[in-house]
Amino acid sequence: MKAVDLTKRVTTGESSLLILSRVSFEIEAGASVAVLGASGSGKTTLLGLLAGLDVPTEGRVEVHGEDIFRLDEDGRAALRQRLVGFVFQSFQLLPALTALENVMLPLELAGRSDAREQALPLLERVGLAARVGHYPRQLSGGEQQRVALARAFVTRPRLLMADEPTGNLDAATGSGVIELMFELNREQGTTLVLVTHDEQLARRCGRRLRIAAGELVADESDLRPAAAGTPVAEPTSAPAVHAA
Amino acid sequence: MTGAASMLRLSARLVARDWRAGELRVLVAALVIAIAAVTSVGFFSDRVRLALVEQANALLGADLIVVSDRPIEPAIRQEAERLGLAQTTVLRFPSMVVIGERAQLSEVRAVGEGYPVKGEIALSPRHLEPPVATRSVPARGTVWVDTRMVALLGVDAGQSIELGDRSFTIAGVFERDAEASVGFLSMSPRILVNALDLPDTGLVQPASRISHRLMLSGTPSDVARFRNFVAPRLGAGQRTEDVREARPELRSAIERAERFLGLAALVSVILAGVAVALAARRFLQRHLDACAMMRCLGAPQRQMVGLYLGQFLLLGGVASAIGVAIGAAGQQVLVQVLGSLVSASLPPPTLAPAFKGLVTGVVLLLGFGLPPLVALASVPTLRVLRRDLGAPGRGSLLSWLAAGTAIASLVLWEAADLKLGLAMLGGTLAMVLVCAGCAWLAMRAAGRLAGGGRGRGAFTWRYGIANLNRRALGSIVQMTALGLGLMALLLLTLVRGELLDNWRRSLPADTPNQFLVNIQPDQVERVRAFHVQAGLAAPQVQPMVRGRLVSLNGRPVQPSDYGDERTRRLVDREFNLSFMADLPTDNRILAGRWWTPADRGAALVSFEQGIAERIGVRVGDTVVYDVAGTRREFIVASLRRVDWDSFRTNFFVVAAPGALDGLPVSYVTAFRLPEGREGFTHALIREFPNLLVIDVASILSRVQQMIDQVSKAVEFLFLFTLAAGLVVLYAAIASTRDERIHEGAIIRTLGGSRRQLQVVHLAEFTAIGALAGGVAAFGASALAWALGRFVLGVPFTFDPWVWVAGLLGGAVLVGAAGWVGTLDTTRAPPLATLRRL
């Protein structure tokens, strides 16, 4: 996956706000990348653009060499269906569906007839075999996030996008969820893009992209770490550093 | 004061903002529909009522009328003369008139010197020429006819008509004579004849039904004195009429019609209430955060309530104005449809119905809208920190109570009668519960078919249908509201025609279509022979004696003994008694026994069951009848059930053969006149001028026409009901909007396409519509069965079109409305949506 000159500007009335400014990088298959930054730095916007949930003002995102913004919204949805799994800070389960139905949903949207057969073992894998018929409101925050994990992995995505997955959980529950996420990630060999402001969590990823005020300010890799906090003067040249 | 003014200003600003945000449109639409429905009926009945009062005042033709079914006693006339009142006597009776080749049942008024004692007649020398006011009577040998006669028979001044044994020349045409009979059902055209010519016609016979009307005019005090004199002297079959008492039966008929239409309009009001409740609830949900914040910033609860109440009242005012304007246009439709039932032209309405609409709107708004507002004002301030606090529940006791009180007070107000109102409330509640129950069952069945979103078939369709069960309460409310609206329309369009056709088909081919009344004893054989000569079967004639029930088991019978108005009228007028040896085939004995030949001459009678119940007569009771001054006592030997639908001559009270001997008798018969033989009636009247021919076929077609008109009016009112149902649908869509947007964003994030999402919505709403249509078809068929079984006595036939129209109509209408209504929830980029949540 490759981001080239990603820029997002929001215009409200007279004023224009630059949320993301010419961000470029490349992520190799199977890598785990943390996007770090303070609140409002633009990291969630970046994640949304990478997943094609929003459209950039300028720039492009390439997946397997193809610019996803050449596709229309439904085309990008189909791409997500094939390749991407999501985990959100606020879980984003459908309240009217049971745990099992939530996990089955992505497969059913893809027209798969084996949704149930695929979803049940995964719910078992995340430790919720006894709660498949429960609705989200009957589950604790940690359990809801584990349902969300099962939903994210049920399609065997090539890419997992996680937005502050522990943001709404206490430390102990959060670390349990994170363990599970990294385990599943390893088992399925998924590429991980994790948005967080938690340094410790970020250290578990092989690579860290730091965003500040909408700009990519650092790209650190455990194999060839860039100097922490070193500003990248020309973000366009950022892909010079690659994860293994 | 300034505080209130500034709060109102702030409320107005908030209304403007919420309007821009589209929050309030459902609320306003619901109120507008409710108020428009109520005021349409209100304006229309107001105009009819005004017309009645106006005409009664102007055209009673007297200050006081003594009405009697026998010649008025000289003592009464002498007292009127002593008091110096102007007086004249009018004889009124039905009779056939013959013009050229045609015969027509008409109301004859024989008028004499001094007519009219008050008011005047607008008389045209010829049809369509300008009328001249006159206070005279037709010259001898001439008659005046009304415009209806002109229309029916195509006659005009100068032509000759036959009335009884005499021929007259038409000398004038009038629209209304001094004695107006206003209103519904007055079918016969009128003819004015000089009283001095009456004996020559031979129409006045011992058993003829003639109304004697002593018309009086004078100063109010003299009239009052006369009234005091006459009141204790009035016997059975006699009464006085003045402006206040004129046409009591007509007034009550119109009052009933008004109530019926009013209650029909209330169905829309109740549905609109549901929409208001849904809209107010969404308003509450959308304003919880803002309200918590304002409370946090120090706004007292009182101020919050004031602020939102002000908003709602402003809205109510605007909606009322629009609703009243639509109502004013709507009543014109009612006038177009029903106007011909009211013979008089209608004056413009007063403002009272507008006020009524306004009150309806306010009651609706407060009953359904206030409880959520109170909940809003008492939102916990802590919600600013914890968003899950203060979320609205399923509806508190207060909100149910307020809504219930609002509906109950509106229904009771409209019914203007506790019993009727409670019956209506109970009926509505039962109907709503049954509808809701059916909707629930249908929804469960659909959910099972869709396998809760799993199983085979297109996922999106299954998922959409499964959504019904996921939003169970909302789905039931929508299906019930739409189901009621659709059911009313199905009932009035498809089912009504089918039922009436069935009923007409169920009548045997030889069902009589003509009744002959007033055959004198010496004419019986000649009348029978006349039929045979014309190639028709000789009809079976039945004797008829007119008598008044004067005592029951030794106690005098007075109309005032009975609470029910119809029973009072039954007791007040003369009964048609008959005698016969054999029980007719369409009669069945329910209690007691029919007589044997051995009972000949015994004073035994048999009562029809219904009238026996009304009057309180049982087998073995003693009844006394007064027949033309002669009193006869009878013992009730049996009670019978009569099949009135057979259209044969039947009698409420039948005596044993010989029991009525010596009393004045005339004969009646019913026969079937084949089509194309209308000339026979004409020849019959020529030969026997005193006979009355009642053409049942034309009465039936007139009744049919009236049913059509009334049901068109009700159909029109139920369009408001359907509109209210659609507003409920829209309100329900609006109330699940946030949820749908959220759901849509997640589904699209997970790779669902916009089209898939739209199909989910389409499936959900098509299912709601089809199920509501199914509930409506079921309800309409059940009502049709009940009407056929218990009222019309025709077997139920399954009409597939009711189901096709219900299911298909509901599915298309609601599916399209719901699909369009949710289109925009699939448009926003998913990230924007997810971030807002």
Side-chain angles (χ1 to χ4, degrees), chain B residues 359-696:
Chain B
V359 173
T360 305
V362 170
V363 170
L364 207 59
L365 198 56
L366 295 187
F368 287 87
L370 199 56
L373 284 194
V374 172
L376 187 55
S378 57
V379 60
T381 317
L382 195 59
R383 189 181 157 91
V384 293
L385 296 179
R386 298 199 45 194
R387 286 206 59 207
D388 51 339
L389 284 180
R394 292 238 149 160
S396 60
L397 185 67
L398 172 73
S399 57
W400 286 102
L401 216 71
T405 312
I407 287 186
S409 52
L410 284 176
V411 170
L412 289 176
W413 186 30
E414 188 63 57
D417 176 74
L418 190 66
K419 220 167 110 190
L420 179 68
L422 289 178
M424 168 78 184
L425 272 178
T428 311
L429 190 68
M431 192 90 118
V432 166
L433 285 180
V434 169
C435 258
C438 291
W440 183 77
L441 284 176
M443 192 179 78
R444 301 297 297 190
R448 190 145 296 184
L449 277 179
R454 292 181 294 276
R456 304 180 71 80
F459 163 75
T460 41
W461 281 89
R462 283 184 287 112
Y463 184 81
I465 292 170
N467 262 347
L468 293 188
N469 285 295
R470 298 190 182 114
R471 300 190 179 98
L473 190 66
S475 307
I476 289 176
V477 169
Q478 292 168 64
M479 279 189 254
T480 306
L482 290 163
L484 280 177
L486 287 170
M487 178 167 78
L489 287 177
L490 281 180
L491 202 59
L492 285 166
T493 48
L494 289 172
V495 175
R496 170 177 58 95
E498 175 81 12
L499 261 184
L500 288 178
D501 283 350
N502 272 354
W503 176 65
R504 256 186 309 224
R505 270 199 297 272
S506 76
L507 299 176
D510 63 344
T511 301
N513 56 8
Q514 310 283 326
F515 281 90
L516 277 187
V517 185
N518 207 25
I519 309 170
Q520 298 303 307
D522 61 321
Q523 295 174 322
V524 171
E525 281 318 310
R526 283 157 54 211
V527 167
R528 287 169 59 90
F530 199 84
H531 275 79
V532 175
Q533 276 165 24
L536 296 169
Q540 293 297 316
V541 298
Q542 275 154 316
M544 193 170 90
V545 171
R546 293 164 53 76
R548 175 171 295 103
L549 179 67
V550 288
S551 95
L552 170 60
N553 291 331
R555 275 183 302 104
V557 172
Q558 299 282 347
S560 55
D561 296 346
Y562 299 95
D564 178 59
E565 200 190 305
R566 215 180 133 204
T567 313
R568 282 189 196 180
R569 284 211 302 278
L570 270 170
V571 170
D572 191 41
R573 70 186 180 101
E574 292 187 314
F575 278 73
N576 296 326
L577 309 170
S578 187
F579 54 87
M580 55 188 71
D582 301 318
L583 185 68
T585 50
D586 52 2
N587 284 210
R588 204 155 53 83
I589 295 292
L590 296 176
R593 63 172 188 90
W594 189 251
W595 32 81
T596 61
D599 292 320
R600 197 189 152 76
L604 298 176
V605 289
S606 171
F607 267 71
E608 188 263 345
Q609 179 212 15
I611 200 162
E613 263 172 30
R614 273 183 184 280
I615 301 176
V617 170
R618 280 179 301 248
V619 172
D621 284 356
T622 312
V623 292
V624 176
Y625 276 94
D626 178 332
V627 179
T630 311
R631 296 199 167 200
R632 291 276 179 98
E633 189 177 277
F634 303 91
I635 290 171
V636 179
S638 62
L639 301 183
R640 289 166 298 134
R641 167 169 294 158
V642 174
D643 176 16
W644 296 106
D645 284 350
S646 70
F647 278 91
R648 289 169 200 288
T649 335
N650 265 301
F651 296 88
F652 282 131
V653 183
V654 172
L660 300 177
D661 281 0
L663 298 174
V665 65
S666 69
Y667 289 81
V668 295
T669 185
F671 66 99
R672 174 149 197 103
L673 185 68
E675 253 175 77
R677 295 292 307 270
E678 286 74 18
F680 173 74
T681 324
H682 164 69
L684 194 68
I685 298 303
R686 276 268 159 92
E687 187 68 23
F688 309 98
N690 62 304
L691 294 194
L692 288 185
V693 181
I694 297 168
D695 184 352
V696 183

Side-chain angles (χ1 to χ4, degrees), chain A residues 44-45 48 53-54 73-74 77-78 80-81 86 88 92-94 96-97 101 104-106 108-109 116 151, chain B residues 452-454 459 462-463 470 742-743 746-756 829-831 834-835 837:
Chain A
T44 300
T45 303
L53 294 177
D54 202 357
E73 168 55 38
D74 280 347
R80 283 197 293 274
Q81 196 173 70
F86 283 93
F88 297 97
Q92 305 289 9
L93 300 176
L94 288 184
L97 301 188
E101 287 166 349
M104 285 162 59
L105 186 62
E108 291 186 307
L109 285 169
R116 194 183 174 81
R151 181 180 67 184
Chain B
R454 292 181 294 276
F459 163 75
R462 283 184 287 112
Y463 184 81
R470 298 190 182 114
H742 180 212
E743 185 185 82
I746 294 176
I747 286 181
R748 288 178 63 201
T749 304
L750 297 178
S753 66
R754 188 176 293 166
R755 207 184 134 267
Q756 273 179 314
L831 187 66
L834 290 176
R835 296 192 74 157
L837 296 161

Side-chain angles (χ1 to χ4, degrees), chain B residues 346-357:
Chain B
L346 295 175
T350 62
L351 278 178
F355 173 73
K356 189 174 179 180

Side-chain angles (χ1 to χ4, degrees), chain A residues 47-118:
Chain A
L47 185 80
L49 291 175
L50 290 179
L53 294 177
D54 202 357
V55 189
T57 315
E58 283 163 41
R60 60 182 194 275
V61 170
E62 289 174 12
V63 176
H64 295 320
E66 190 188 352
D67 182 358
I68 63 170
F69 296 112
R70 290 236 173 129
L71 302 168
D72 62 3
E73 168 55 38
D74 280 347
R76 293 198 299 276
L79 194 72
R80 283 197 293 274
Q81 196 173 70
R82 279 204 323 274
L83 301 176
V84 190
F86 283 93
V87 179
F88 297 97
Q89 176 176 4
S90 50
F91 322 137
Q92 305 289 9
L93 300 176
L94 288 184
L97 301 188
T98 62
L100 177 62
E101 287 166 349
N102 264 293
V103 177
M104 285 162 59
L105 186 62
L107 293 175
E108 291 186 307
L109 285 169
R112 298 257 298 263
S113 56
D114 60 345
R116 194 183 174 81
E117 292 72 23
Q118 297 289 326

Side-chain angles (χ1 to χ4, degrees), chain B residues 186-225:
Chain B
S186 55
M187 295 185 224
S188 306
R190 269 174 248 144
I191 179 164
L192 245 58
V193 58
N194 194 308
L196 297 173
D197 286 333
L198 198 56
D200 298 349
T201 63
L203 289 175
V204 182
Q205 305 274 347
S208 305
R209 177 173 290 196
I210 293 177
S211 169
H212 299 254
R213 302 167 65 85
L214 176 63
M215 312 192 60
L216 301 152
S217 173
T219 64
S221 61
D222 288 340
V223 170
R225 230 170 281 150

Side-chain angles (χ1 to χ4, degrees), chain B residues 26-41:
Chain B
V26 173
L27 211 64
V28 170
L31 285 176
V32 164
I33 288 171
I35 294 168
V38 168
T39 46
S40 302
V41 175

